[in-house]
Amino acid sequence: MPLAPVTIPLQVLDTAPQRPVFAQGPRSLSSVRLLRISVTDRCNLRCVYCMPEEGMHFADRSDLLSPDDIESVARVAVDVGVESLKITGGEPTVRPDIVEIAMRLKALGPSDLSMTTNGLQLRRLAAPLRDAGVERLTLSLDSLQPDRYAAITGGGRLDLFWEGVEAAERAGFDRLKINMVVMRGRNDDEVEAMASLSLERRWTVRFIEYMPLGDSRFTVPGVDPNDAIVENAQVARRLADRFGELEPVARPTEAGVGPASVFRLPGARGRVGFISAMSRPFCETCNRLRLTATGELRSCLFDGGEVSVLSALRPVADDNALRTAFAECVRLKPEVHSARGNRAMSQLGG
Ligand code: SAM
Ligand code: SF4
């Protein structure tokens, strides 16, 4: 059954300064722990919340950062204290040199190298990525029903997803994270079924509130993108009604925990997580930057503050100029993000 609409308006636009020490927090370079690296804005799927029905504009392949460029930016990131590197996109596995990129990033010695993927190419790539040094995978799965999965993803095959999962587990990725974007009326009747994946498996199933970013099927004229949002408080309540009180999990035990609050269903081997960017923005603890596939360092998913690193990369990489770009970028972090973002997650390294 779809969840009933919320009557409380979302509190996302409180832009009053929250903490006078913000400059020592997210806007300080020493706070940055994670760089999300988008290696392409292209994708083999067209998820309803991520891309428009038609007219999606992709960057020219010649404008994408090369493995050398990506390595140079990541090297400086590790130098300034970034511990975790996350390869993402678009869909990172559509890039033919993805294994080489992973190897190069691993050689920089981050404490954590992970990838977010829709999983459809893992049958072929899970083992090579593991061998290249990727330690953890996050997979997107918005429905357990084949027809609905195809409808949400623009033609994705659920059987290929599960084959990818098997290949990932064979390759040694045992603690998968599964991301579900919960959308009112589209898949919110599946939150219990998704959560129950964590009962027998040591996976973390994470419920993500839809974020109105860029052009998608929810940001067209005549559609209020907020209608698609299901607040995570509702999801958590519904899980507690079905499975019993959720047990909080200590954050340090969840690798690369980031913005998720993590719990366990009673008796479960795995975990459930909630990423509540719309109903409970976590800007004041933000510790990440993003590198777009075309060479912009981006301070926030929502607000447009970004710094191009192209002039610091070409004709040869200049580490000092890259360091300056990092420092400039963190200063652009908003105190509270806006309600809408100008570029899609696929363009930003979501
Ligand atoms: N293609 C890969 C995938 O789907 O896992 C990696 C990139 S995708 C942009 C990263 C994550 O962002 C996915 O879990 C996806 O579901 C999520 N995502 C994309 N657009 C979103 C949006 N507008 N709101 C919330 N989550 C979104
Ligand atoms: Fe592709 Fe990931 Fe966006 Fe879906 S969410 S369209 S899989 S980039």
Side-chain angles (χ1 to χ4, degrees), residues 41-51 89-91 117-118 140 142 153 345-346:
D41 59 348
R42 288 169 193 261
C43 188
N44 48 354
L45 294 180
R46 295 285 181 273
C47 299
V48 285
Y49 49 80
C50 184
M51 296 200 183
E91 174 47 40
T117 168
N118 61 37
S140 296
D142 298 319
T153 59
M345 200 76 116
S346 60

Coordinates of all heavy atoms in Angstrom, one line a residue, residues 41-51 89-91 117-118 140 142 153 345-346, ligand 2:
D41 N 29.1 11.1 -17.0 CA 27.7 11.5 -16.8 C 26.7 10.6 -17.5 O 25.5 10.7 -17.4 CB 27.4 13.0 -17.1 CG 27.7 13.3 -18.6 OD1 28.3 12.4 -19.3 OD2 27.3 14.4 -19.1
R42 N 27.3 9.6 -18.3 CA 26.4 8.7 -19.1 C 25.9 7.6 -18.2 O 26.5 7.2 -17.2 CB 27.2 8.2 -20.3 CG 27.4 9.3 -21.3 CD 28.3 8.9 -22.4 NE 28.6 10.1 -23.2 CZ 28.0 10.4 -24.3 NH1 27.2 9.6 -24.9 NH2 28.4 11.6 -24.9
C43 N 24.9 6.9 -18.8 CA 24.4 5.8 -18.0 C 23.7 4.8 -18.9 O 23.2 5.2 -20.0 CB 23.4 6.3 -17.0 SG 22.9 4.9 -15.8
N44 N 23.6 3.5 -18.6 CA 22.9 2.5 -19.4 C 21.4 2.5 -18.9 O 20.7 1.6 -19.4 CB 23.6 1.2 -19.3 CG 23.9 0.8 -17.8 OD1 23.8 1.6 -16.9 ND2 24.4 -0.4 -17.7
L45 N 21.0 3.3 -17.9 CA 19.7 3.3 -17.4 C 19.1 4.8 -17.5 O 19.9 5.7 -17.8 CB 19.5 2.8 -16.0 CG 19.8 1.3 -15.8 CD1 19.7 0.9 -14.3 CD2 19.0 0.4 -16.7
R46 N 17.9 4.9 -17.2 CA 17.2 6.3 -17.3 C 16.3 6.4 -16.1 O 15.1 6.5 -16.3 CB 16.5 6.5 -18.6 CG 17.3 6.5 -19.8 CD 18.1 7.8 -19.9 NE 18.9 7.9 -21.1 CZ 20.1 7.4 -21.2 NH1 20.7 6.8 -20.2 NH2 20.8 7.6 -22.4
C47 N 16.8 6.3 -14.9 CA 15.9 6.3 -13.7 C 15.0 7.6 -13.7 O 15.5 8.7 -14.0 CB 16.7 6.2 -12.4 SG 17.7 4.7 -12.4
V48 N 13.7 7.4 -13.3 CA 12.8 8.5 -13.4 C 13.2 9.7 -12.6 O 12.9 10.8 -13.0 CB 11.3 8.0 -12.9 CG1 10.7 7.1 -14.0 CG2 11.4 7.3 -11.6
Y49 N 13.8 9.5 -11.5 CA 14.2 10.6 -10.6 C 15.5 11.2 -11.0 O 15.9 12.2 -10.4 CB 14.3 10.1 -9.1 CG 15.1 8.8 -8.9 CD1 16.5 8.9 -8.9 CD2 14.5 7.6 -8.8 CE1 17.2 7.8 -8.7 CE2 15.2 6.4 -8.7 CZ 16.6 6.5 -8.6 OH 17.4 5.4 -8.5
C50 N 16.2 10.6 -11.9 CA 17.6 11.1 -12.2 C 17.7 11.7 -13.6 O 18.5 12.6 -13.8 CB 18.5 9.9 -12.1 SG 20.2 10.2 -12.3
M51 N 16.9 11.3 -14.5 CA 17.0 11.8 -15.9 C 15.6 12.1 -16.5 O 14.6 11.5 -16.1 CB 17.7 10.7 -16.8 CG 19.1 10.5 -16.3 SD 20.1 9.7 -17.6 CE 21.6 9.4 -16.7
G89 N 29.0 8.1 -10.8 CA 28.7 8.7 -12.1 C 27.4 9.5 -12.0 O 27.1 10.0 -10.9
G90 N 26.7 9.5 -13.0 CA 26.5 8.6 -14.1 C 26.7 7.1 -13.7 O 26.8 6.8 -12.5
E91 N 26.8 6.3 -14.6 CA 27.1 4.9 -14.3 C 28.6 4.6 -14.6 O 29.0 4.5 -15.7 CB 26.2 4.0 -15.1 CG 26.4 2.5 -15.0 CD 26.6 2.0 -13.5 OE1 25.8 2.5 -12.6 OE2 27.5 1.2 -13.2
T117 N 27.1 1.9 -8.0 CA 26.8 1.4 -9.4 C 25.4 0.9 -9.4 O 24.8 0.5 -8.4 CB 27.8 0.3 -9.9 OG1 27.3 -0.3 -11.0 CG2 28.0 -0.8 -8.8
N118 N 24.8 0.9 -10.6 CA 23.5 0.2 -10.7 C 23.6 -1.3 -10.8 O 22.6 -2.0 -10.8 CB 22.6 0.8 -11.9 CG 23.3 0.6 -13.2 OD1 23.9 -0.5 -13.5 ND2 23.1 1.5 -14.1
S140 N 22.3 0.3 -6.5 CA 21.0 1.0 -6.5 C 19.9 -0.1 -6.8 O 20.0 -0.8 -7.8 CB 20.9 2.1 -7.5 OG 21.8 3.1 -7.1
D142 N 15.6 0.0 -6.7 CA 14.4 0.7 -6.3 C 13.2 -0.1 -6.3 O 12.1 0.4 -5.9 CB 14.3 2.0 -7.2 CG 15.4 2.9 -7.1 OD1 15.9 3.2 -6.0 OD2 15.9 3.4 -8.2
T153 N 13.6 2.3 -13.9 CA 14.9 2.5 -14.4 C 15.0 2.8 -15.9 O 16.1 3.0 -16.5 CB 15.8 1.3 -14.2 OG1 15.2 0.2 -14.8 CG2 16.0 1.0 -12.7
M345 N 21.9 14.4 -10.3 CA 22.8 13.6 -9.6 C 23.8 12.9 -10.5 O 25.0 12.8 -10.2 CB 22.0 12.5 -8.9 CG 22.6 11.9 -7.7 SD 22.6 13.0 -6.3 CE 21.5 12.1 -5.2
S346 N 23.3 12.5 -11.7 CA 24.2 11.8 -12.7 C 25.3 12.7 -13.2 O 26.3 12.2 -13.6 CB 23.4 11.3 -13.9 OG 22.8 12.4 -14.5
Ligands
SF4_2 FE1 21.8 6.0 -14.1 FE2 22.3 5.9 -11.5 FE3 21.0 8.0 -12.6 FE4 19.8 5.6 -12.5 S1 20.5 6.8 -10.8 S2 19.9 6.9 -14.3 S3 21.5 4.2 -12.8 S4 23.1 7.4 -13.0

